[in-house]
Amino acid sequence: MRANKYSAQRTVLNGITFDSKMESQYYTQLNLMERAGLISDLELQPEFVLIPTFKKLGRTIRATKYRADFKYKEHGKTIVVDVKGVKTKDFNIKRKLFDSKYPDIELKLITYKNGGWEEI
């Protein structure tokens, strides 16, 4: 399978294609948490509109969307997760847009470091 610019390799797990091995491993953990009743409503690749479609000078400008890796509920609160090896400038901008549009949803950036999952 083809690697992306950050050397992540697409991985297939249970018939689902993930953008990286790290993402597939985090999915396995979330799946276990859902089966244990710790989280609910696990969704893969949820999409959020950050900037809606608009018109400028007679041209239609397409919506700007953000597709996260996972979304779930924990103690009634909606959590959105992106799994990455590094925090990028693009993600920082997306986070600001996301937070302004969806203030009641927590967006987490997760990585695997020092033998465990941590938020970056």
Side-chain angles (χ1 to χ4, degrees):
M1 297 197 164
R2 203 174 120 246
N4 73 14
K5 66 182 177 180
Y6 296 106
S7 300
Q9 278 198 310
R10 291 193 184 274
T11 303
V12 177
L13 177 69
N14 299 333
I16 303 167
T17 302
F18 294 92
D19 288 338
S20 68
K21 184 176 179 183
M22 190 184 325
E23 188 180 324
S24 71
Q25 291 170 331
Y26 196 69
Y27 170 74
T28 299
Q29 177 160 332
L30 289 175
N31 220 356
L32 289 171
M33 291 170 68
E34 186 174 41
R35 281 193 268 159
L38 300 173
I39 65 170
S40 63
D41 303 328
L42 178 59
E43 265 183 64
L44 281 66
Q45 302 289 305
E47 192 171 87
F48 300 88
V49 175
L50 299 177
I51 304 171
T53 300
F54 63 95
K55 289 197 178 282
K56 179 174 180 170
L57 303 174
R59 288 186 32 213
T60 299
I61 310 298
R62 289 188 311 172
T64 299
K65 298 177 181 177
Y66 165 59
R67 180 172 291 138
D69 294 326
F70 307 105
K71 180 174 105 173
Y72 59 88
K73 291 207 183 260
E74 184 174 30
H75 307 297
K77 183 177 181 181
T78 301
I79 310 288
V80 172
V81 175
D82 227 338
V83 179
K84 294 198 181 313
V86 295
K87 187 185 239 182
T88 63
K89 288 181 183 181
D90 283 350
F91 181 80
N92 289 337
I93 292 168
K94 288 177 189 177
R95 170 174 268 168
K96 285 180 183 181
L97 289 167
F98 183 92
D99 287 346
S100 72
K101 179 99 180 193
Y102 303 96
D104 295 333
I105 300 176
E106 183 177 354
L107 175 57
K108 293 182 177 184
L109 182 60
I110 301 290
T111 194
Y112 191 81
K113 196 172 179 180
N114 300 323
W117 296 104
E118 64 180 57
E119 193 169 350
I120 55 174

